[in-house]
Amino acid sequence: MEEQMKALKEKLADDTLKSAELFAFIDRLKASMREGTPIVRNISHINIELLETYSFALQKYEMTTEDKDSELRAADWRERIDDFSKLKEFVDDLQKSELITNVAWNVGGMAIYDIPKPEAYKDFVYWNIKNVLDNIDLFDQV
């Protein structure tokens, strides 16, 4: 686990982390919790929810910068995110920071928005991911 955390942090520092890598890490965390042998001693459900929210935000960035039509469907969000209030709060923060514009919510609970400053948006998402990973790492050492 320590190696995986280190690899994720290095990718953040190198500006190369992809949403698929973060989703794989989250899936591993969830599986270890279901098995009753958490690979991180003090992992909380809140940390996992935050990482999932940030993974989707990172995926949205990747789709925007690769100029792809949205491959992200509302069902994708519902399958992974239990507490939409955290997603709403994060999208509100992005909007207040003017990192996203034209925010719309569809019936499925998915936020649709434009990213006028992709690099600033990515930096903000990376910063949030790093904070959660640092928090997990810090509490795992206690």
Side-chain angles (χ1 to χ4, degrees):
M1 179 56 174
E2 189 175 315
E3 290 299 316
Q4 216 172 3
M5 293 273 285
K6 183 178 176 187
L8 289 174
K9 287 181 179 184
E10 286 174 3
K11 287 184 177 268
L12 282 168
D14 295 341
D15 214 25
T16 60
L17 181 66
K18 299 291 181 195
S19 60
E21 296 165 317
L22 195 52
F23 280 126
F25 176 72
I26 294 165
D27 288 343
R28 186 150 183 256
L29 285 174
K30 284 180 166 183
S32 75
M33 288 179 73
R34 276 192 305 273
E35 294 163 3
T37 55
I39 52 180
V40 175
R41 284 181 286 158
N42 295 311
I43 188 69
S44 74
H45 189 65
I46 292 169
N47 286 332
I48 290 174
E49 285 179 342
L50 289 172
L51 286 176
E52 287 176 327
T53 299
Y54 304 149
S55 297
F56 279 108
L58 186 55
Q59 186 177 40
K60 173 70 173 162
Y61 164 80
E62 293 164 357
M63 290 185 304
T64 299
T65 58
E66 294 169 8
D67 200 25
K68 291 184 179 179
D69 287 337
S70 179
E71 298 168 3
L72 192 58
R73 302 289 174 239
D76 298 334
W77 292 76
R78 282 193 301 264
E79 289 173 11
R80 298 202 60 119
I81 296 179
D82 296 327
D83 185 354
F84 279 96
S85 67
K86 288 185 181 23
L87 173 62
K88 172 83 170 91
E89 184 178 317
F90 183 65
V91 169
D92 287 347
D93 287 346
L94 288 168
Q95 192 171 19
K96 286 177 196 167
S97 301
E98 298 180 358
L99 294 171
I100 62 173
T101 57
N102 302 319
V103 177
W105 292 89
N106 74 13
V107 175
M110 187 174 115
I112 300 167
Y113 51 82
D114 296 327
I115 304 172
K117 301 173 192 168
E119 288 306 310
Y121 173 92
K122 181 180 72 167
D123 289 345
F124 185 74
V125 172
Y126 270 19
W127 179 81
N128 279 282
I129 294 167
K130 183 181 180 315
N131 284 341
V132 174
L133 293 177
D134 286 347
N135 184 47
I136 291 170
D137 209 16
L138 174 68
F139 280 102
D140 201 44
Q141 294 172 14
V142 173

